[in-house]
Amino acid sequence: MGHVGENEAITVDSYWEASVGEIKEDRQLVGSARFDVAVIGAGFTGLSAALKLAEAGLSVCVLEANRVGWGASGRNGGFCCFGGTKQPEAELIRKFGLDEAKRFLAYQIEAIETVEKRLSHWGLDVDRHSNGEVYLAHRPKDAAGFSEEAKFLNDTFGLGVRILTQGDMREQGLGGPEFHGAMHVPYGFALNPMKYVLGLAEAVRRGGGRIYAHTPVLSMSRSGEDWQLTTRHGVVSCRKVILAGNGYSREGAPDWLNGRLMPAMSSVLVTRPLSDDELEEQGWTSDLMAADTRILLHYFRLMPDRRFLFGTRGGIFETLESLKAVHKRGRADFERMFPAWAHVESEFRWHGHVCLARDLSAYVGPVPDMDGVYASLAYHGSGIAMASLSGEKVAELALGKIGPGDLPAVISKPLSKFPLPGLRKFYLQGAYWWYGLKDR
């Protein structure tokens, strides 16, 4: 594991870092600078916003507390898929109406296509694989509910979802003792997120955007018509600001962020490359990205180099002992779900932040009562596609090309504060205990 502190770590010791070798270090901001727009956070959201702004001819800087891809954009499981909310489609229809639910679904498809187009346009090799995503029932009753769910999704949204029986699963190399049925959604693909975010950063640099690494924003204040962003060794003056730190945002910069985000942990392990015999023994040869039906889900995939990635949700406190316990639990889950690989060592393990909101949906829009400040945050664990498109959209908001009404209502409601925000981690712990019971 890389050292984890208050936005201070340089390496994460992830497989993604190892796969790309030396990562370009942008220089730190020292002194005063002026730009049309300042973007806080050099992940998928911030870099996507900066690229769109630079293409529009504005001067733009990206202020990053560490370096490009150090946060969730370089730590995630590499699932470019649907995301942005933890609310099921039926709940979205109840809250927002059918038309808005369809609009949000179309937005998610556009987000996946946005990443696809970028990769093609830039000729970027990101180890892409997987035709869509498969959901695996961890209990027979979950498998029994797939038919009704698939019919609802197909009849309502025309998604082309299909059900796989256990026989189908064996034939397609989706073997495991805890999988009682499957539902395949033919949208999305898997990739190496570090290769993608580094390619995105390079596009920003080519386009004239300036990225400052190791430049955390400590505070924001108004100075006439400008915003002044105070960093460790300098100050940026700008007319507009975009908040794109997601689960790595610094509360208090600005004060509006206080109590509105819930960073939760997700941990990942990656094995050594598996042999043909080992793959056949387990019965898992598919390259589909997969997740089980638990609330505290597991997500996993066989990568092109035949390593297996296995991720878990859960974990709150980032002390050394807590992290050891999280990884131990993740390894035990891996061995239980894929028993033929119990002897296969984990060559890499790391963790990152999933960003949750009280309303269980992302927010893309202006920050209330802060003229010229915009935010795109809280993707609920599936941000590769969503952040890529939402970064573009928040830039278009800042440019005045679109208004909040041009975005789906699901992501247009400003983030609410959590009640008793100082106790967020403790009542999240209570939620995890409850979810663990419901997942049995």
Side-chain angles (χ1 to χ4, degrees), residues 120-185:
S120 176
H121 180 65
W122 298 335
L124 203 59
D125 181 3
V126 294
D127 307 324
R128 175 179 171 170
H129 66 93
S130 184
N131 175 25
E133 184 172 12
V134 65
Y135 299 94
L136 302 168
H138 75 286
R139 297 172 297 199
K141 70 176 184 179
D142 296 301
F146 275 160
S147 293
E148 183 178 350
E149 184 176 358
K151 185 177 188 308
F152 165 71
L153 292 173
N154 290 336
D155 290 350
T156 308
F157 301 104
L159 286 182
V161 173
R162 63 190 180 94
I163 302 300
L164 303 178
T165 66
Q166 287 186 300
D168 295 331
M169 292 165 63
R170 284 192 295 272
E171 288 180 7
Q172 297 183 32
L174 299 165
E178 292 191 6
F179 308 142
H180 301 277
M183 184 172 72
H184 178 251
V185 179

Coordinates of all heavy atoms in Angstrom, one line a residue, residues 120-185:
S120 N -11.0 6.5 -29.3 CA -10.8 6.3 -30.7 C -10.1 7.5 -31.4 O -9.2 7.4 -32.2 CB -12.2 6.1 -31.4 OG -12.1 6.0 -32.8
H121 N -10.5 8.7 -31.0 CA -10.0 9.9 -31.5 C -8.5 10.1 -31.2 O -7.7 10.5 -32.0 CB -10.8 11.1 -31.0 CG -10.3 12.4 -31.5 ND1 -10.3 12.8 -32.9 CD2 -9.7 13.5 -30.9 CE1 -9.8 14.0 -33.0 NE2 -9.5 14.5 -31.9
W122 N -8.1 9.7 -30.0 CA -6.7 9.9 -29.6 C -5.9 8.7 -29.9 O -4.7 8.7 -29.7 CB -6.7 10.1 -28.0 CG -7.4 11.4 -27.6 CD1 -7.6 12.5 -28.3 CD2 -7.9 11.7 -26.3 NE1 -8.3 13.5 -27.6 CE2 -8.5 13.0 -26.4 CE3 -8.0 10.9 -25.1 CZ2 -9.1 13.5 -25.2 CZ3 -8.7 11.5 -24.0 CH2 -9.2 12.8 -24.1
G123 N -6.5 7.6 -30.4 CA -5.7 6.4 -30.6 C -5.1 5.8 -29.4 O -4.0 5.3 -29.4
L124 N -5.9 5.9 -28.3 CA -5.3 5.5 -27.0 C -5.6 4.1 -26.6 O -6.7 3.6 -26.7 CB -6.0 6.4 -25.9 CG -5.3 6.7 -24.6 CD1 -3.9 7.3 -24.8 CD2 -6.1 7.6 -23.7
D125 N -4.5 3.3 -26.4 CA -4.6 1.9 -26.0 C -4.7 1.8 -24.5 O -3.8 2.1 -23.8 CB -3.3 1.2 -26.5 CG -3.4 -0.3 -26.1 OD1 -4.4 -0.8 -25.6 OD2 -2.4 -1.0 -26.4
V126 N -5.9 1.4 -24.0 CA -6.1 1.4 -22.6 C -6.5 0.0 -22.1 O -7.2 -0.2 -21.1 CB -7.3 2.4 -22.2 CG1 -6.9 3.8 -22.4 CG2 -8.6 2.0 -22.9
D127 N -6.1 -1.0 -22.9 CA -6.3 -2.4 -22.5 C -7.8 -2.7 -22.4 O -8.3 -3.4 -21.5 CB -5.6 -2.8 -21.2 CG -4.2 -2.5 -21.2 OD1 -3.5 -2.7 -22.3 OD2 -3.6 -2.1 -20.2
R128 N -8.5 -2.2 -23.4 CA -10.0 -2.3 -23.4 C -10.5 -3.8 -23.6 O -9.9 -4.5 -24.4 CB -10.6 -1.4 -24.4 CG -12.1 -1.6 -24.6 CD -12.7 -0.6 -25.6 NE -14.1 -1.0 -25.9 CZ -14.9 -0.2 -26.6 NH1 -14.5 0.9 -27.1 NH2 -16.2 -0.6 -26.7
H129 N -11.5 -4.1 -22.9 CA -12.2 -5.4 -23.1 C -13.6 -5.4 -22.5 O -14.0 -4.4 -21.8 CB -11.4 -6.6 -22.5 CG -11.3 -6.6 -21.0 ND1 -12.2 -7.2 -20.2 CD2 -10.4 -5.9 -20.1 CE1 -11.8 -7.0 -18.9 NE2 -10.8 -6.2 -18.8
S130 N -14.3 -6.4 -22.7 CA -15.7 -6.6 -22.1 C -16.8 -6.0 -22.9 O -16.8 -4.7 -23.1 CB -15.8 -6.2 -20.7 OG -17.0 -6.4 -20.1
N131 N -17.7 -6.7 -23.4 CA -18.9 -6.2 -24.1 C -20.0 -6.1 -23.0 O -20.8 -7.0 -22.8 CB -19.3 -7.2 -25.2 CG -20.6 -6.8 -25.9 OD1 -21.0 -5.6 -25.8 ND2 -21.3 -7.7 -26.5
G132 N -20.1 -5.0 -22.4 CA -21.1 -4.8 -21.3 C -20.7 -5.3 -20.0 O -19.5 -5.7 -19.8
E133 N -21.7 -5.5 -19.1 CA -21.4 -5.9 -17.7 C -22.4 -7.0 -17.4 O -23.6 -6.9 -17.8 CB -21.6 -4.7 -16.8 CG -21.3 -4.9 -15.4 CD -21.3 -3.7 -14.5 OE1 -21.7 -2.6 -15.0 OE2 -20.8 -3.7 -13.4
V134 N -22.0 -7.9 -16.5 CA -22.8 -9.0 -16.1 C -23.0 -8.9 -14.6 O -22.1 -8.6 -13.8 CB -22.3 -10.4 -16.5 CG1 -20.9 -10.7 -15.8 CG2 -23.3 -11.5 -16.2
Y135 N -24.3 -9.0 -14.1 CA -24.6 -9.0 -12.7 C -24.9 -10.4 -12.3 O -25.7 -11.1 -12.9 CB -25.8 -8.1 -12.4 CG -25.5 -6.7 -12.8 CD1 -25.9 -6.2 -14.1 CD2 -24.9 -5.8 -11.9 CE1 -25.7 -4.9 -14.4 CE2 -24.7 -4.5 -12.3 CZ -25.0 -4.0 -13.6 OH -24.8 -2.7 -13.9
L136 N -24.2 -10.9 -11.2 CA -24.3 -12.3 -10.8 C -25.1 -12.4 -9.5 O -24.8 -11.7 -8.5 CB -22.9 -12.8 -10.6 CG -22.0 -12.8 -11.9 CD1 -20.6 -13.1 -11.5 CD2 -22.5 -13.7 -12.9
A137 N -26.1 -13.2 -9.5 CA -27.0 -13.4 -8.3 C -26.2 -14.2 -7.2 O -25.8 -15.3 -7.5 CB -28.3 -14.1 -8.7
H138 N -26.0 -13.6 -6.0 CA -25.3 -14.4 -5.0 C -26.3 -15.2 -4.2 O -25.8 -15.9 -3.3 CB -24.5 -13.4 -4.1 CG -25.3 -12.6 -3.1 ND1 -26.1 -11.5 -3.5 CD2 -25.5 -12.7 -1.8 CE1 -26.7 -11.0 -2.5 NE2 -26.3 -11.7 -1.4
R139 N -27.6 -15.1 -4.4 CA -28.6 -16.0 -3.8 C -29.6 -16.4 -4.8 O -29.8 -15.7 -5.8 CB -29.3 -15.2 -2.7 CG -28.4 -14.7 -1.6 CD -29.2 -13.7 -0.6 NE -29.6 -12.5 -1.3 CZ -30.0 -11.4 -0.7 NH1 -29.9 -11.3 0.7 NH2 -30.4 -10.3 -1.3
P140 N -30.2 -17.6 -4.6 CA -31.2 -18.1 -5.6 C -32.3 -17.1 -5.7 O -32.9 -16.9 -6.9 CB -31.7 -19.4 -5.0 CG -30.5 -19.9 -4.2 CD -29.8 -18.7 -3.6
K141 N -32.7 -16.4 -4.7 CA -33.9 -15.5 -4.8 C -33.5 -14.3 -5.6 O -34.4 -13.7 -6.3 CB -34.3 -15.0 -3.4 CG -33.4 -14.1 -2.6 CD -34.1 -13.7 -1.3 CE -33.2 -12.7 -0.6 NZ -33.8 -12.2 0.7
D142 N -32.2 -13.9 -5.7 CA -31.8 -12.8 -6.6 C -31.9 -13.2 -8.0 O -32.3 -12.5 -8.9 CB -30.4 -12.3 -6.2 CG -30.3 -11.7 -4.8 OD1 -31.1 -10.8 -4.6 OD2 -29.6 -12.2 -4.0
A143 N -31.5 -14.5 -8.3 CA -31.6 -15.0 -9.6 C -33.0 -15.1 -10.1 O -33.4 -14.8 -11.2 CB -30.9 -16.4 -9.7
A144 N -34.0 -15.5 -9.2 CA -35.4 -15.6 -9.5 C -36.0 -14.2 -9.9 O -36.9 -14.2 -10.6 CB -36.1 -16.2 -8.3
G145 N -35.4 -13.1 -9.3 CA -35.9 -11.8 -9.6 C -35.4 -11.2 -10.9 O -35.9 -10.1 -11.4
F146 N -34.4 -11.8 -11.5 CA -33.8 -11.3 -12.7 C -34.7 -11.2 -13.9 O -34.7 -10.2 -14.7 CB -32.6 -12.1 -13.1 CG -31.3 -11.7 -12.4 CD1 -30.2 -12.6 -12.4 CD2 -31.1 -10.5 -11.9 CE1 -29.0 -12.3 -11.8 CE2 -29.9 -10.1 -11.2 CZ -28.9 -11.0 -11.2
S147 N -35.6 -12.2 -14.1 CA -36.5 -12.2 -15.2 C -37.4 -10.9 -15.2 O -37.6 -10.3 -16.2 CB -37.3 -13.4 -15.3 OG -36.5 -14.6 -15.5
E148 N -38.0 -10.7 -14.0 CA -38.9 -9.5 -13.9 C -38.1 -8.2 -14.1 O -38.6 -7.3 -14.8 CB -39.6 -9.5 -12.5 CG -40.6 -8.4 -12.4 CD -41.2 -8.5 -11.0 OE1 -41.1 -9.5 -10.3 OE2 -41.9 -7.5 -10.7
E149 N -36.9 -8.2 -13.6 CA -36.1 -6.9 -13.7 C -35.7 -6.7 -15.1 O -35.8 -5.6 -15.7 CB -34.9 -7.0 -12.8 CG -34.0 -5.8 -12.8 CD -32.8 -5.8 -11.9 OE1 -32.7 -6.8 -11.2 OE2 -32.1 -4.8 -11.9
A150 N -35.3 -7.8 -15.8 CA -34.9 -7.6 -17.2 C -36.1 -7.2 -18.1 O -35.9 -6.4 -19.0 CB -34.3 -9.0 -17.7
K151 N -37.2 -7.8 -17.8 CA -38.4 -7.4 -18.6 C -38.7 -5.9 -18.4 O -39.1 -5.2 -19.3 CB -39.6 -8.2 -18.2 CG -40.9 -8.0 -19.0 CD -42.0 -8.9 -18.6 CE -43.2 -8.8 -19.6 NZ -43.7 -7.4 -19.7
F152 N -38.6 -5.4 -17.1 CA -38.9 -4.0 -16.8 C -37.9 -3.1 -17.6 O -38.3 -2.1 -18.2 CB -38.8 -3.8 -15.3 CG -38.7 -2.4 -14.9 CD1 -39.8 -1.5 -15.0 CD2 -37.5 -1.9 -14.4 CE1 -39.6 -0.2 -14.6 CE2 -37.3 -0.6 -14.0 CZ -38.4 0.3 -14.2
L153 N -36.6 -3.5 -17.5 CA -35.6 -2.7 -18.1 C -35.7 -2.6 -19.7 O -35.6 -1.6 -20.3 CB -34.2 -3.2 -17.8 CG -33.8 -3.0 -16.3 CD1 -32.5 -3.7 -16.0 CD2 -33.7 -1.5 -15.9
N154 N -36.1 -3.8 -20.2 CA -36.2 -3.9 -21.7 C -37.5 -3.2 -22.2 O -37.5 -2.4 -23.1 CB -36.2 -5.3 -22.1 CG -34.9 -6.0 -22.0 OD1 -33.8 -5.3 -22.0 ND2 -34.8 -7.3 -21.8
D155 N -38.6 -3.4 -21.5 CA -39.9 -2.8 -21.9 C -39.9 -1.3 -21.7 O -40.5 -0.6 -22.5 CB -41.0 -3.4 -21.1 CG -41.3 -4.9 -21.4 OD1 -40.8 -5.3 -22.4 OD2 -42.1 -5.5 -20.7
T156 N -39.2 -0.8 -20.6 CA -39.2 0.6 -20.3 C -38.2 1.4 -21.0 O -38.4 2.5 -21.4 CB -39.1 0.8 -18.7 OG1 -40.0 0.0 -18.0 CG2 -39.3 2.2 -18.3
F157 N -37.0 0.8 -21.1 CA -35.8 1.6 -21.6 C -35.2 1.0 -22.9 O -34.3 1.6 -23.5 CB -34.7 1.7 -20.5 CG -35.2 2.3 -19.3 CD1 -35.5 1.6 -18.1 CD2 -35.3 3.7 -19.2 CE1 -35.9 2.2 -17.0 CE2 -35.7 4.3 -18.0 CZ -36.0 3.6 -16.9
G158 N -35.7 -0.2 -23.3 CA -35.1 -0.9 -24.5 C -33.7 -1.2 -24.4 O -32.9 -1.0 -25.4
L159 N -33.2 -1.7 -23.3 CA -31.8 -1.9 -23.0 C -31.2 -3.2 -23.7 O -30.0 -3.3 -23.8 CB -31.5 -1.9 -21.5 CG -31.5 -0.6 -20.8 CD1 -31.2 -0.7 -19.4 CD2 -30.6 0.4 -21.5
G160 N -32.1 -4.1 -24.0 CA -31.5 -5.4 -24.6 C -30.9 -6.3 -23.5 O -29.9 -7.0 -23.8
V161 N -31.3 -6.2 -22.3 CA -30.8 -7.0 -21.2 C -31.2 -8.5 -21.5 O -32.3 -8.8 -21.9 CB -31.4 -6.5 -19.9 CG1 -31.0 -7.5 -18.7 CG2 -30.9 -5.1 -19.6
R162 N -30.3 -9.4 -21.1 CA -30.6 -10.8 -21.3 C -30.2 -11.6 -20.0 O -29.3 -11.2 -19.3 CB -29.9 -11.4 -22.5 CG -28.4 -11.4 -22.5 CD -27.8 -11.8 -23.8 NE -26.4 -11.8 -23.7 CZ -25.6 -12.9 -23.5 NH1 -26.2 -14.0 -23.3 NH2 -24.3 -12.8 -23.5
I163 N -31.0 -12.7 -19.8 CA -30.8 -13.5 -18.6 C -29.9 -14.7 -19.0 O -30.1 -15.3 -20.1 CB -32.1 -14.0 -18.1 CG1 -33.0 -12.9 -17.7 CG2 -31.9 -14.9 -16.9 CD1 -32.5 -11.9 -16.7
L164 N -29.0 -15.1 -18.1 CA -28.1 -16.3 -18.3 C -28.5 -17.3 -17.2 O -28.4 -16.9 -16.0 CB -26.7 -15.9 -18.2 CG -26.1 -14.8 -19.2 CD1 -24.7 -14.6 -18.9 CD2 -26.4 -15.2 -20.6
T165 N -28.8 -18.5 -17.6 CA -29.0 -19.6 -16.7 C -27.6 -20.0 -16.2 O -26.6 -19.7 -16.7 CB -29.7 -20.7 -17.3 OG1 -28.9 -21.3 -18.4 CG2 -31.0 -20.3 -17.9
Q166 N -27.6 -20.9 -15.2 CA -26.3 -21.5 -14.7 C -25.6 -22.3 -15.8 O -24.4 -22.3 -15.9 CB -26.6 -22.3 -13.5 CG -26.8 -21.5 -12.2 CD -26.9 -22.3 -11.0 OE1 -27.8 -23.2 -10.8 NE2 -26.1 -22.0 -10.0
G167 N -26.4 -22.9 -16.7 CA -25.8 -23.6 -17.8 C -25.2 -22.6 -18.8 O -24.1 -22.9 -19.3
D168 N -25.9 -21.5 -19.1 CA -25.3 -20.5 -19.9 C -24.0 -20.0 -19.3 O -23.0 -19.7 -20.0 CB -26.3 -19.3 -20.1 CG -27.5 -19.7 -20.8 OD1 -27.5 -20.6 -21.7 OD2 -28.6 -19.1 -20.5
M169 N -24.0 -19.8 -18.0 CA -22.9 -19.2 -17.3 C -21.7 -20.1 -17.4 O -20.5 -19.7 -17.7 CB -23.2 -18.9 -15.9 CG -24.2 -17.8 -15.7 SD -24.9 -17.8 -14.0 CE -23.4 -17.5 -13.0
R170 N -21.9 -21.4 -17.3 CA -20.8 -22.4 -17.4 C -20.2 -22.3 -18.8 O -19.0 -22.3 -19.0 CB -21.3 -23.8 -17.1 CG -21.4 -24.0 -15.6 CD -21.6 -25.5 -15.3 NE -22.8 -26.0 -15.8 CZ -24.0 -26.0 -15.2 NH1 -24.1 -25.5 -14.0 NH2 -25.1 -26.5 -15.8
E171 N -21.1 -22.3 -19.8 CA -20.6 -22.3 -21.2 C -19.8 -21.0 -21.5 O -18.9 -21.0 -22.3 CB -21.8 -22.4 -22.1 CG -22.5 -23.7 -22.2 CD -23.7 -23.7 -23.1 OE1 -23.9 -22.7 -23.8 OE2 -24.4 -24.7 -23.2
Q172 N -20.2 -19.9 -20.9 CA -19.6 -18.6 -21.1 C -18.4 -18.3 -20.2 O -17.9 -17.2 -20.2 CB -20.6 -17.5 -21.2 CG -21.6 -17.7 -22.3 CD -22.6 -16.6 -22.4 OE1 -22.3 -15.4 -22.1 NE2 -23.8 -16.9 -22.8
G173 N -18.0 -19.3 -19.3 CA -16.9 -19.1 -18.5 C -17.1 -18.1 -17.3 O -16.2 -17.4 -17.0
L174 N -18.3 -18.3 -16.7 CA -18.6 -17.4 -15.5 C -18.9 -18.3 -14.3 O -20.0 -18.4 -13.8 CB -19.9 -16.6 -15.8 CG -19.8 -15.6 -17.0 CD1 -21.1 -15.1 -17.4 CD2 -18.9 -14.4 -16.6
G175 N -17.9 -19.1 -14.0 CA -18.0 -20.1 -13.0 C -17.7 -19.7 -11.6 O -16.7 -19.0 -11.3
G176 N -18.5 -20.1 -10.6 CA -18.2 -19.8 -9.2 C -19.3 -20.4 -8.3 O -20.5 -20.4 -8.7
P177 N -19.0 -20.9 -7.1 CA -20.0 -21.5 -6.3 C -21.1 -20.6 -5.7 O -22.1 -21.0 -5.3 CB -19.1 -22.1 -5.1 CG -17.9 -21.2 -5.1 CD -17.6 -20.9 -6.5
E178 N -20.8 -19.3 -5.8 CA -21.8 -18.3 -5.2 C -22.7 -17.7 -6.3 O -23.5 -16.8 -6.0 CB -21.1 -17.3 -4.4 CG -20.5 -17.8 -3.1 CD -20.1 -16.6 -2.2 OE1 -20.3 -15.5 -2.5 OE2 -19.4 -16.9 -1.2
F179 N -22.6 -18.1 -7.5 CA -23.3 -17.5 -8.6 C -24.5 -18.4 -9.1 O -24.3 -19.5 -9.6 CB -22.4 -17.2 -9.8 CG -21.1 -16.5 -9.4 CD1 -19.9 -16.8 -10.0 CD2 -21.2 -15.5 -8.4 CE1 -18.8 -16.1 -9.6 CE2 -20.0 -14.8 -8.1 CZ -18.8 -15.1 -8.7
H180 N -25.7 -17.9 -8.9 CA -26.9 -18.7 -9.1 C -27.7 -18.3 -10.3 O -28.8 -18.8 -10.6 CB -27.8 -18.6 -7.9 CG -27.2 -19.1 -6.6 ND1 -27.1 -20.4 -6.3 CD2 -26.5 -18.4 -5.6 CE1 -26.4 -20.6 -5.1 NE2 -26.1 -19.4 -4.7
G181 N -27.2 -17.3 -11.1 CA -27.8 -16.8 -12.3 C -27.2 -15.5 -12.6 O -26.4 -14.9 -11.8
A182 N -27.5 -15.0 -13.8 CA -26.8 -13.8 -14.2 C -27.7 -13.0 -15.1 O -28.6 -13.5 -15.8 CB -25.5 -14.1 -15.0
M183 N -27.4 -11.7 -15.2 CA -28.1 -10.7 -16.1 C -27.1 -9.9 -16.8 O -26.3 -9.2 -16.1 CB -29.1 -9.9 -15.2 CG -29.9 -8.9 -16.1 SD -31.2 -8.1 -15.1 CE -30.2 -6.9 -14.2
H184 N -27.1 -9.9 -18.1 CA -26.1 -9.2 -18.9 C -26.7 -7.9 -19.4 O -27.8 -7.9 -20.1 CB -25.6 -10.1 -20.0 CG -24.6 -9.4 -20.9 ND1 -24.9 -9.0 -22.2 CD2 -23.3 -9.0 -20.7 CE1 -23.8 -8.4 -22.7 NE2 -22.9 -8.4 -21.8
V185 N -26.0 -6.8 -19.2 CA -26.4 -5.5 -19.7 C -25.4 -5.1 -20.8 O -24.2 -4.9 -20.4 CB -26.5 -4.4 -18.6 CG1 -26.9 -3.1 -19.2 CG2 -27.5 -4.9 -17.5

